[in-house]
Amino acid sequence: MTSVLEISGLKKSFGEKKVLQGVDLTVPEKKVFGFVGRNGAGKTTTMKVTLGLLAADAGEVSVCGETVHYGNTKTNRFIGYLPDVPEYYSFMTAMEYLKFCGEITGLPSNESKGRCEEMLRLVGLADEKHRIKGYSRGMKQRLGIAQALLGRPKLLICDEPTSALDPLGRKEILDVLVAAKEETTILFSTHVLSDVEHICDEMALLNDGKIVMQGSIEEVKSKRRSNAVEIQLEREADAKTLAGTFGGFQVIKPEVLLLKDAAVVSDVLRFMADHDMPFVRMEKQEATLEDVFMEVLKSGSGNGKEGK
Ligand SMILES: Nc1ncnc2c1ncn2[C@@H]1O[C@H](COP(=O)(O)OP(=O)(O)O)[C@@H](O)[C@H]1O
Ligand SMILES: [Mg+2]
């Protein structure tokens, strides 16, 4: 599998503060990749090193197979970047702004108009005639994505594109990112887990200066050690017997039990079969990313990459 971004052993301190303490990260091609971590975890720092805007103390970053050097932006020809707080010439319209960006980044002028229109359509701003100064935050973010995609980057880096938005604005951005996946690989940072659950193919969790988890959403969810199982019995009396026989049951309703410890499921099933206890349904409660992260962070397994 080809990867667009490879980070290995990345370290960065600010004075005494060790922010990145050996970050290893691989972003595969044509995926939406969620880069998750609480505020101050070091997400923006990692992105700035990737863009050659910040010098690393140790480690290596490569984009499309080429090593990134601080201050030398050759690898940035592969990257489109949406900073956390994008700035604009607010007297321009979206079209004027994109054409201007195309000009300064060397987009051939015969291509420019068509490409700018295409990108404005992608982000839902094609019919917007107002100047940027009248834009909402979400519209500005969408314009930023259009601009970042203009030069057909191999990697689109978006720094917390949804963080300051209301639910509608947030959904619009997520939809745009999913649409942009046709064009490129997307790395976006967030501290909002539901955004990751909705649109990402893969994700990594940055905590205490290291990646403590990386993989597909399914892989990450399956890391959860205990998947609870809910059992609804036909007869209340059987539910009572089960709860009395096995320790780990929580009584949800008189005939519905929640088994926290999935390890004893087969024992419970055998017991039910032996004692002829019919059931209405039995289902595994799916872990949310939130559950998994709480578990990982609590267990303090911040000692390296799990999975992959
Ligand atoms: N230029 C800087 N000088 C000193 N400290 C910094 C600088 N940039 C970031 N930091 C600190 O590094 C930590 C990580 O910041 P950042 O990468 O912005 O986190 P995130 O984007 O995950 O919220 C924070 O504690 C922040 O205060
Ligand atoms: Mg940040």
Side-chain angles (χ1 to χ4, degrees):
M1 184 169 49
T2 355
S3 62
V4 176
L5 172 63
E6 284 273 4
I7 298 179
S8 64
L10 183 62
K11 294 188 179 171
K12 177 72 189 176
S13 298
F14 293 106
E16 292 289 288
K17 186 161 197 168
K18 291 184 176 143
V19 177
L20 305 177
Q21 304 180 53
V23 168
D24 298 310
L25 187 72
T26 304
V27 179
E29 213 174 22
K30 289 282 156 76
K31 302 272 184 195
V32 181
F33 193 98
F35 188 33
V36 186
R38 58 174 70 130
N39 287 330
K43 302 180 295 295
T44 300
T45 302
T46 306
M47 290 175 160
K48 285 192 170 160
V49 172
T50 302
L51 288 155
L53 298 171
L54 199 61
D57 299 336
E60 185 152 329
V61 179
S62 64
V63 177
C64 298
E66 289 183 27
T67 305
V68 175
H69 298 285
Y70 167 59
N72 173 343
T73 56
K74 259 177 80 182
T75 41
N76 284 358
R77 71 185 191 281
F78 298 121
I79 306 178
Y81 174 49
L82 175 67
D84 43 5
V85 186
E87 298 282 347
Y88 299 98
Y89 294 110
S90 58
F91 57 87
M92 292 182 176
T93 63
M95 190 62 185
E96 285 165 353
Y97 178 72
L98 281 195
K99 276 191 176 157
F100 168 74
C101 292
E103 229 165 84
I104 56 177
T105 55
L107 189 70
S109 53
N110 59 342
E111 247 186 65
S112 179
K113 187 162 182 285
R115 181 68 181 162
C116 291
E117 281 169 357
E118 187 187 357
M119 288 303 97
L120 287 177
R121 264 197 308 278
L122 179 85
V123 301
L125 290 173
D127 300 322
E128 192 52 57
K129 301 283 180 268
H130 289 100
R131 292 177 196 286
I132 298 168
K133 66 169 171 267
Y135 278 19
S136 68
R137 234 171 153 145
M139 289 163 81
K140 283 185 182 165
Q141 293 285 10
R142 283 187 276 141
L143 177 58
I145 294 173
Q147 186 246 311
L149 287 173
L150 212 52
R152 297 190 170 82
K154 295 267 186 246
L155 174 65
L156 172 66
I157 296 182
C158 298
D159 196 354
E160 306 239 12
T162 58
S163 290
L165 304 180
D166 60 28
L168 181 62
R170 153 174 276 133
K171 179 167 186 322
E172 284 169 348
I173 294 289
L174 295 178
D175 289 346
V176 167
L177 291 181
V178 169
K181 192 174 128 172
E182 299 294 314
E183 299 241 340
T184 186
T185 300
I186 298 154
L187 172 70
F188 86 97
S189 64
T190 182
H191 58 269
V192 184
L193 289 172
S194 63
D195 287 357
V196 173
E197 207 150 9
H198 279 131
I199 69 159
C200 290
D201 305 298
E202 290 217 15
M203 51 127 325
L205 173 63
L206 178 64
N207 191 59
D208 287 341
K210 290 195 171 175
I211 300 297
V212 292
M213 220 184 221
Q214 179 179 342
S216 69
I217 305 300
E218 286 69 34
E219 278 172 321
V220 166
K221 280 187 180 176
S222 69
K223 292 271 165 13
R224 194 170 186 226
R225 266 144 294 189
S226 53
N227 274 308
V229 177
E230 203 172 284
I231 304 173
Q232 180 175 357
L233 291 125
E234 235 172 73
R235 300 185 295 248
E236 284 181 21
D238 289 345
K240 219 172 199 167
T241 310
L242 274 185
T245 310
F246 295 90
F249 277 113
Q250 185 187 328
V251 182
I252 308 273
K253 287 184 200 160
E255 74 288 2
V256 181
L257 302 172
L258 183 68
L259 185 56
K260 287 276 171 91
D261 182 5
V264 302
V265 167
S266 51
D267 291 342
V268 171
L269 283 178
R270 210 168 295 123
F271 185 89
M272 286 168 62
D274 289 349
H275 295 80
D276 203 13
M277 296 179 169
F279 64 90
V280 179
R281 83 195 152 83
M282 194 175 287
E283 84 194 355
K284 215 165 167 175
Q285 284 199 327
E286 217 202 322
T288 64
L289 277 184
E290 196 99 33
D291 297 331
V292 181
F293 288 176
M294 294 317 289
E295 207 170 271
V296 169
L297 298 185
K298 254 191 267 161
S299 71
S301 63
N303 52 0
K305 197 150 98 173
E306 279 195 6
K308 285 219 159 163

